[in-house]
Amino acid sequence: MSAYCFPPTDEMSAVTLTDVVKVSQFSQGILIRHIIGRPDGGANLAGQKVRVGEWVKTGREQGKGSFAFLELNDGSCPANIQVIVDAAVSLLGQLIPTGTCVHVEGKLKVPPEGTKQRIELRVHKVLDVGTVDPAKYHLPKT
């Protein structure tokens, strides 16, 4: 049995993250498993503001450098969460290398139909970045 008890699916739309999980005392962040490990994959959390602190597994600039997609993982589960960061929010070049540590705040949203994700995070604020030098630390994209 799961260590976390979630309400029945029909009641989940009224539930917020802080109703079912404890926010980290120090980072005020939520673990990925509490978002995407839900029976609905996190879709019913769309519209909620969250903070997450994780490592970049993969990152790529899109839209001629106007935004970036990051796949983040915090080690709480094998899955990643997709994060979208606009160039107006942060320097994208420092965020996209594999192994970069980021602490971000944003709003969860349901991605467009046809994507594999059930939920993604649109970043409004980059709180902290721990950069990595890809030339020194060759981390594989997995």
Side-chain angles (χ1 to χ4, degrees), residues 13-94:
S13 61
V15 175
T16 66
L17 273 171
T18 54
D19 288 336
V20 291
V21 299
K22 185 176 179 181
V23 175
S24 172
Q25 175 184 351
F26 301 106
S27 70
Q28 301 302 308
I30 302 288
L31 296 175
I32 289 180
R33 76 169 180 241
H34 297 307
I35 298 170
I36 59 178
R38 297 165 48 100
D40 65 355
N44 282 329
L45 297 173
Q48 293 194 41
K49 184 177 166 182
V50 297
R51 284 184 178 184
V52 293
E54 300 154 349
W55 290 270
V56 175
K57 294 283 277 194
T58 63
R60 66 188 186 284
E61 287 187 43
Q62 295 290 128
K64 297 181 181 176
S66 63
F67 67 96
F69 286 115
L70 307 175
E71 291 284 332
L72 303 181
N73 191 287
D74 63 6
S76 67
C77 66
N80 302 324
I81 189 167
Q82 180 168 276
V83 170
I84 303 163
V85 184
D86 289 322
V89 173
S90 182
L91 295 172
L92 302 180
Q94 71 177 1

Side-chain angles (χ1 to χ4, degrees), residues 121-137:
L121 181 64
R122 173 64 80 162
V123 173
H124 298 138
K125 189 177 194 179
V126 175
L127 304 167
D128 199 16
V129 177
T131 58
V132 64
D133 182 354
K136 285 185 180 179
Y137 303 99

